[in-house]
Amino acid sequence: MVNIETINQKANAINAESGELGDKKRQHIENVTDEIEHTIDSLSVLWSHLGLSDREAEVAAYRELGFTNRSIGYMIGISTNTVNEYTRRAKEKYRTAQALVTREEDSQALSKNWICPKPTCGHETKRAYADSRYNPKAKISKWRCQKCHTEYQRKIRW
């Protein structure tokens, strides 16, 4: 069991301590890095699917486990400012991915059929029969449910 709180506290104290005591704390942090390497590698792979660089994914994996930016810096041998930058970039990419997920859910862009959002209907209408229209000037997409005949429209934004 890795006590992350202890690691975070030791990392915070290293700057204030030099010599043998600081070296012992650094060595303890390096030993923990070896102990959780497999977990970090596995989590990094998952984070990389968001389009994160290898380093951004690694930082996200450490943060997911609860490590502070200072601890992460000591563990992977980079400055806290660099960890902050990787975190900022990862958050930006995550927000972009989150916006795309929301867009897909709203537009049903990747669904085979249009699904009527009317709670009492929920009918799946094949796209070929959905009476779909798009107005390029107004940037409005419309389609009609084949079962309840309710018309839906959404503004296309980019």
Side-chain angles (χ1 to χ4, degrees), residues 116-127:
C116 182
K118 188 175 180 180
T120 57
C121 183
H123 179 73
E124 290 190 28
T125 301
K126 292 187 179 193
R127 289 180 183 262

Side-chain angles (χ1 to χ4, degrees), residues 28-86:
H28 179 80
I29 290 171
E30 288 173 17
N31 291 343
V32 169
T33 303
D34 294 341
E35 189 176 343
I36 63 172
E37 181 178 11
H38 177 73
T39 301
I40 294 300
D41 289 345
S42 298
L43 291 173
S44 294
V45 168
L46 295 174
W47 282 106
S48 69
H49 291 297
L50 275 176
L52 273 58
S53 71
D54 290 344
R55 198 57 118 175
E56 291 163 351
E58 183 180 23
V59 167
Y62 276 105
R63 287 182 55 90
E64 181 178 349
L65 293 179
F67 290 99
T68 63
N69 287 359
R70 182 172 283 175
S71 295
I72 295 167
Y74 282 117
M75 295 174 103
I76 63 178
I78 60 177
S79 75
T80 303
N81 287 338
T82 304
V83 174
N84 291 338
E85 178 61 19
Y86 286 135

Side-chain angles (χ1 to χ4, degrees), residues 70-125:
R70 182 172 283 175
S71 295
I72 295 167
Y74 282 117
M75 295 174 103
I76 63 178
I78 60 177
S79 75
T80 303
N81 287 338
T82 304
V83 174
N84 291 338
E85 178 61 19
Y86 286 135
T87 301
R88 185 195 64 74
R89 289 183 200 169
K91 284 180 183 179
E92 187 176 306
K93 291 176 182 178
Y94 174 78
R95 283 188 205 105
T96 300
Q98 199 173 32
L100 283 171
V101 168
T102 300
R103 183 182 192 101
E104 193 291 323
E105 289 171 349
D106 181 48
S107 69
Q108 302 180 35
L110 303 178
S111 301
K112 183 177 179 181
N113 301 321
W114 292 107
I115 301 169
C116 182
K118 188 175 180 180
T120 57
C121 183
H123 179 73
E124 290 190 28
T125 301

